[in-house]
Amino acid sequence: MKLNNNTILITGGSSGIGLELARRLHKQGNNILICGRSEEKLNNVKHEIPGIHDYPCDLSIKAHRQELFQWVSDNHPSCNILINNAATVHKTNFSEDSKMIEKAENEVQTNLIAPITLSKLFLPLLMKNENASIINVTTGLIYAPRAAYPIYNATKSGLHAFTQVLRHQLKNDPIRVIEVIMSAVDTPWHQGNPPKMAISVEKAAAEMLNKLEKGQEVIKIAGVKILYILSRIAPAFAFRKINQL
């Protein structure tokens, strides 16, 4: 996969892995578009990376997803790569949380419906351009869910299945469908309490981009490879181990 001279939209590009990808891909000569909910964070990124383009939006809201697509289509019609990276999580107890359904709807909309919707909206635009790709970021928790995240695991498992099916359905079209299965990464997402096994955003982004350049379509980052094997041969053991971290 060619990682220069592209126009790349990174959702959730104002912090964490999305921001690190924006930094690296901008340096490699790509036109980078990012979106996020916090205008303050987006402005900080613009100051750090001159020339980057940003659009404030909340991907859990249907109208915002359509508006994001329209902004890209009108202002950056050369967009050829969509990275569905944005995600949210609630660490909570399903039975005890009085706002559980509200939180669940937010996670489902952001983590699953948004990347499905954006993939559908952007598909005709991406196919008009060379080196077209949809890159969906999931997590090793698709293999062994973490009990503290009652909804997050399910949304990412859904995105994993959707990505497999989309790749199969588009196998004869000029667009690649790629899944990046992330390990735990030390980002603000963990609210200052990352697991000991968490890797740095720099390591995660570097491994991801290296494997994209090599043409991999299913990219397992860091310890995800081991977790995958464990989940196949001893699923109960894998579940226990991931919940002991």
Side-chain angles (χ1 to χ4, degrees), residues 3 14 24 36 44 55 94 96 113 119 137 148 155 198 235:
L3 291 182
S14 61
R24 290 171 181 258
N44 289 339
Y55 189 84
F94 184 84
E96 297 174 0
I113 302 301
S119 297
V137 179
T155 61

Side-chain angles (χ1 to χ4, degrees), residues 59-61 65 86-90 100-117 150-156 158-159:
L59 292 178
S60 71
I61 300 173
R65 301 191 286 257
T88 189
V89 66
H90 295 95
M100 190 67 254
I101 300 306
E102 178 184 335
K103 292 176 180 178
E105 289 175 345
N106 178 260
E107 287 191 52
V108 170
Q109 288 294 327
T110 303
N111 302 353
L112 181 58
I113 302 301
I116 290 174
T117 302
I151 307 303
Y152 177 80
N153 307 291
T155 61
K156 288 298 188 177
L159 184 58

Side-chain angles (χ1 to χ4, degrees), residues 148-212:
Y149 309 144
I151 307 303
Y152 177 80
N153 307 291
T155 61
K156 288 298 188 177
S157 293
L159 184 58
H160 167 67
F162 167 73
T163 305
Q164 289 180 305
V165 170
L166 186 63
R167 183 186 302 118
H168 179 76
Q169 290 191 354
L170 297 177
K171 63 184 178 182
N172 296 320
D173 292 292
I175 184 167
R176 299 183 66 208
V177 179
I178 299 162
E179 181 178 11
V180 180
I181 309 173
M182 279 289 170
S183 174
V185 182
D186 187 0
T187 70
W189 193 83
H190 290 287
Q191 299 179 342
N193 189 33
K196 291 182 179 179
M197 66 176 291
I199 62 174
S200 68
V201 290
E202 292 82 5
K203 182 176 180 180
E207 184 174 348
M208 173 180 167
L209 295 180
N210 177 260
K211 290 180 176 179
L212 282 173

